[in-house]
Amino acid sequence: MSQPIITGIMSYGMSGKVFHAPFIHSNTHFQLRGVTERTTKKVKEVYPDVISYDTIEELLADHKIELIIVNTPNNTHYEFAKKALEAGKHILVEKPFAASSEQAMELFELGRSKGLKVLVYQNRRWDSDFNSVKSVLESGKLGTLIEIHFRYDRYRSEISKKSFKELPLPASGLTYDLGPHLVDQVISLLGKPESFQKSTGVFRKGSQVDDYVNFHFKYPGSLNVFSTASLLTAAPLPAFVIHGTKGTYIKSRSDVQEDQLLAGTSPTVVDYGVEKEGAEGQLTTINDAGKAIVEYIPSLKGNYSRLFDAIYNTIRKDVPYPIAENDIILQMQILESK
C-alpha cells in the first residue's frame, strides 16, 4: 500500500478549514502535517498533531511535506506556487490558478522540469447540481443542443473587506473570483469553443473592480453558451438552463456541500453532498405526439472527496489529473481576454 501524501496548507483561514483540512484528514491517502497561521492559532483545536507554522517559508522548509495547497489571496497564487515548486513540492492551487496564461504556462513547465505535479483545485466539477446537468446532457434526451445558460447570481452590494478581491490587483474582481468556476464547467462539458467574447461591468457604489461578467461561447453546430456572474442580482435566476431540439432542462444551484462544511459536517457522513428534497432539476421533453413530458431529475450526490482521490492517483500512480493543463491554459486565456 502506498504511503499517504504528507500535506501542508498555506493558509488555515476559511478555505483551509472548510475546503481542504476536512478532506485531507478524512482520507487515509493523505496526512495533514502542517499549516500556516500568522496570528491566531486555531488548527490544534481540531487537529492536535498538526504543526502551526508562523510563515509560509517555514512551511515550505519542512522536508517531510510533499504536497502544498496554495490557498492564499488570488494575487499571490503565482508567487507562492512557484516558491513551493522550487522547494520541491507538488502543488494544488486554488482558483484562479494564476493571473495570466503566461504565468500558468510557466508554472506547468517548472513543475515538469522538476518532476512535480501541478494541480488546480476546480472543486465545482464535483457539485451535485453540475453533475445533474452533466448526466442529462450525456443521456441525449435534449437532442441537438441549441442554447445553454450557466449563472452565479448573488446580491452583495457592499464592498468586501478582502482587499485582494476589491482592489485593482492582478486576478481581482468577479472575473477571477467566480469566472474560473463558470469557465471551467463549460470547458469540462464542451471542450474548446470556436470563439468567445467577454463582457464586464462595474455597478456597485465605490467598486474598483468588475462585479459583473458575461462570457459568450460559440460551439460547432451554432450552439451558443452564455455564462454570467453578478453581485447585484436581487432575484436569482436558475443556475442552469439548457435548450435542445427535443426539450429543455432547468436546474437551480443547489449543491449543499459548502453549507454543510461551514456547519462542521464531515464529508464522511451519509447525507453529505445530498441535495434537499425539492431541488430536483426539471426536464421537459416533447414526445412523438407533440405532448410535453415533465420529469424531475434527482441530482447525483456531490462529493469533493473525489477531487482528492484524483490528486492521490495522480501523485502516487501517475494517473492523468481530470483537470488538464490545456483546460487551465484555455481558462486563463478566456479570463484575461479584453
Side-chain angles (χ1 to χ4, degrees), residues 38 80 88 102 150 212 257 294 307 329 334:
R38 294 183 183 276
F80 290 147
E102 182 179 0
F150 287 176
Y212 170 89
Q257 291 180 87
V294 178
L307 181 148
I329 299 300
I334 292 169

Side-chain angles (χ1 to χ4, degrees), residues 49 59 63-64 138 189 235 241-242 291 300 333:
D49 297 330
L59 182 76
H63 69 278
K64 291 186 177 180
E138 291 174 346
L189 283 176
V241 178
I242 306 171
K291 182 181 178 181
L300 301 173
Q333 290 170 341

Side-chain angles (χ1 to χ4, degrees), residues 39-330:
T39 52
T40 306
K41 301 290 187 176
K42 293 286 188 180
V43 71
K44 287 186 177 294
E45 295 176 5
V46 184
Y47 309 107
D49 297 330
V50 172
I51 303 168
S52 176
Y53 287 109
D54 294 328
T55 67
I56 285 172
E57 288 71 24
E58 291 174 340
L59 182 76
L60 294 179
D62 187 330
H63 69 278
K64 291 186 177 180
I65 292 177
E66 303 170 79
L67 170 67
I68 290 287
I69 297 175
V70 181
N71 61 328
T72 52
N74 294 359
N75 60 302
T76 66
H77 286 183
Y78 165 74
E79 174 191 355
F80 290 147
K82 187 174 181 179
K83 284 185 177 181
L85 289 171
E86 289 172 339
K89 317 294 187 185
H90 303 292
I91 57 172
L92 173 67
V93 185
E94 283 195 343
K95 59 83 188 170
F97 178 55
S100 69
S101 57
E102 182 179 0
Q103 289 181 352
M105 288 186 280
E106 181 184 342
L107 291 174
F108 281 118
E109 183 54 41
L110 180 59
R112 263 191 299 276
S113 71
K114 292 181 170 291
L116 298 168
K117 302 299 183 182
V118 176
L119 312 173
V120 185
Y121 183 77
Q122 293 285 176
N123 61 316
R124 299 297 178 183
R125 291 197 186 193
W126 287 273
D127 278 354
S128 58
D129 42 40
F130 178 68
N131 283 326
S132 177
V133 169
K134 187 176 179 181
S135 68
V136 169
L137 288 178
E138 291 174 346
S139 74
K141 290 183 178 181
L142 294 175
T144 301
L145 299 179
I146 299 170
E147 184 178 72
I148 297 175
H149 294 261
F150 287 176
R151 301 187 65 93
Y152 265 102
D153 285 333
R154 296 176 175 175
Y155 193 88
R156 295 180 182 174
S157 60
E158 71 282 358
I159 304 300
S160 172
K161 294 180 180 180
K162 295 181 179 181
S163 59
F164 69 89
K165 290 187 176 184
E166 298 286 5
L167 294 177
L169 300 167
S172 64
L174 198 59
T175 296
Y176 284 88
D177 186 21
L178 296 180
H181 290 318
L182 288 167
V183 174
D184 181 70
Q185 288 186 338
V186 171
I187 292 171
S188 69
L189 283 176
L190 302 168
K192 185 177 181 178
E194 290 184 334
S195 63
F196 62 86
Q197 289 182 315
K198 183 185 79 174
S199 301
T200 61
V202 181
F203 297 100
R204 294 171 305 158
K205 184 178 179 180
S207 181
Q208 300 181 59
V209 297
D210 60 278
D211 45 36
Y212 170 89
V213 61
N214 173 265
F215 303 96
H216 177 195
F217 306 97
K218 290 190 175 183
Y219 280 89
S222 300
L223 170 62
N224 284 279
V225 180
F226 302 91
S227 293
T228 305
S230 172
L231 292 183
L232 289 177
T233 302
L237 295 168
F240 306 96
V241 178
I242 306 171
H243 302 291
T245 55
K246 296 181 179 179
T248 292
Y249 180 70
I250 299 174
K251 181 75 172 74
S252 64
R253 191 172 296 284
S254 46
D255 185 86
V256 298
Q257 291 180 87
E258 183 170 348
D259 288 342
Q260 288 180 320
L261 293 167
L262 285 167
T265 302
S266 169
T268 61
V269 301
V270 174
D271 64 348
Y272 173 80
V274 177
E275 288 186 6
K276 297 177 182 178
E277 188 175 348
E280 297 85 359
Q282 179 180 300
L283 174 63
T284 304
T285 53
I286 308 300
N287 66 15
D288 293 339
K291 182 181 178 181
I293 307 298
V294 178
E295 301 176 69
Y296 292 93
I297 311 296
S299 291
L300 301 173
K301 180 177 179 177
N303 195 348
Y304 299 153
S305 296
R306 292 173 58 193
L307 181 148
F308 288 89
D309 290 338
I311 292 167
Y312 171 80
N313 287 330
T314 297
I315 291 176
R316 286 288 188 253
K317 301 179 181 179
D318 205 30
V319 174
Y321 190 57
I323 301 138
E325 176 179 339
N326 289 341
D327 292 352
I328 298 302
I329 299 300
L330 175 58

